[in-house]
Amino acid sequence: MTATTATTTPVSVLTTRALLLDMDGTLVNSDAAVERIWRRWAVGQGLDPEEVLKVVHGRQGYATMAALLPDRPMEQNLADNERMLAEETADTEGVVPIPGAPDFMAAIADLPHALVTSANVPLAEARMTAAALPMPKTRVTAESVAASKPHPEGFLLGAAELGFAPEDCVALEDSEAGITAARAAGMRVVGVGPRAAALTPDIHVQDLTELRVEALPTGEIRLHTGS
């Protein structure tokens, strides 16, 4: 008789005092809308849409354009960015919550947390509404910062607005730009989804169904995954 060994998912734990949440790819699956709009832009610029889609996630649009077309005038990038933000705000077809996001947001409702997104206010509100997720009271959007992710400004501002030091915060992110920004801010990172898997976050989950939240008597927040 051959013995069988049960396998379990390794347990990973982080303890923190506040959570900083990216939106697209972390709380909200907006990939379909993002890809529709950026494919159109790529074709209009004579670029390969598949190559463009490799770098669009996590950044503000103008920063993506500057990376792809370094000789292009920034004024043109900013104008395109404003037009595309309006298009993205109007296009919520296929925008849905990341699995587990509704329960996760309910679990942290009374805990210190903030949204830190590269979207502007209208786009953030449109996507969170389309996904039927509550908008955090504290939020850092494109209007709040001078520099896009991967610059750490947004995460540093989010921590300051919550009243915590960066090292006392954990960021939830899905993209290379976002994880780079959080690390530059001195924060630990929970990576969410396939894009984050190769970026060696402190914890990686496929989606938010794998992440559990526990409020401790000390006022700290324990995040853990596995069993």
Side-chain angles (χ1 to χ4, degrees):
M1 180 181 295
T2 302
T4 58
T5 303
T7 59
T8 59
T9 303
V11 177
S12 298
V13 179
L14 289 178
T15 302
T16 185
R17 301 197 72 85
L19 302 171
L20 298 178
L21 315 173
D22 175 51
M23 181 179 70
D24 293 303
T26 301
L27 300 175
V28 174
N29 182 347
S30 57
D31 283 2
V34 169
E35 291 186 7
R36 281 193 294 271
I37 288 164
W38 278 97
R39 283 182 187 278
R40 288 199 297 268
W41 181 85
V43 170
Q45 303 304 315
L47 299 174
D48 180 351
E50 299 306 321
E51 293 302 311
V52 169
L53 291 177
K54 291 178 181 178
V55 298
V56 300
H57 297 286
R59 307 171 190 259
Q60 291 190 45
Y62 74 85
T64 295
M65 295 171 196
L68 291 166
L69 298 171
D71 296 327
R72 193 174 193 240
M74 184 55 72
E75 292 80 5
Q76 193 171 352
N77 294 339
L78 292 170
D80 275 7
N81 186 56
E82 287 301 310
R83 174 180 55 79
M84 292 171 72
L85 281 170
E87 291 178 5
E88 289 185 272
T89 301
D91 184 358
T92 57
E93 182 180 353
V95 174
V96 296
I98 293 291
D103 288 343
F104 177 80
M105 294 301 288
I108 68 169
D110 296 325
L111 303 176
H113 68 282
L115 190 73
V116 180
T117 176
S118 293
N120 64 3
V121 169
L123 180 55
E125 291 179 343
R127 286 188 174 159
M128 292 291 280
T129 298
L133 295 175
M135 176 65 78
K137 293 179 181 178
T138 302
R139 55 185 184 253
V140 176
T141 61
E143 296 94 336
S144 310
V145 298
S148 170
K149 298 173 185 177
H151 194 282
E153 181 184 2
F155 283 115
L156 293 171
L157 180 57
E161 292 195 0
L162 290 175
F164 293 97
E167 61 268 23
D168 289 330
C169 300
V170 164
L172 276 70
E173 267 286 0
D174 73 299
S175 69
E176 181 175 8
I179 290 175
T180 299
R183 284 182 170 150
M187 298 174 185
R188 292 161 296 159
V189 179
V190 174
V192 181
R195 283 188 289 268
L199 302 171
T200 61
D202 296 277
I203 289 179
H204 177 258
V205 294
Q206 293 299 326
D207 57 47
L208 294 175
T209 64
E210 298 180 2
L211 190 65
R212 300 180 184 179
V213 179
E214 182 182 358
L216 301 178
T218 59
E220 296 174 301
I221 304 164
R222 179 178 292 155
L223 303 173
H224 56 99
T225 180
S227 57

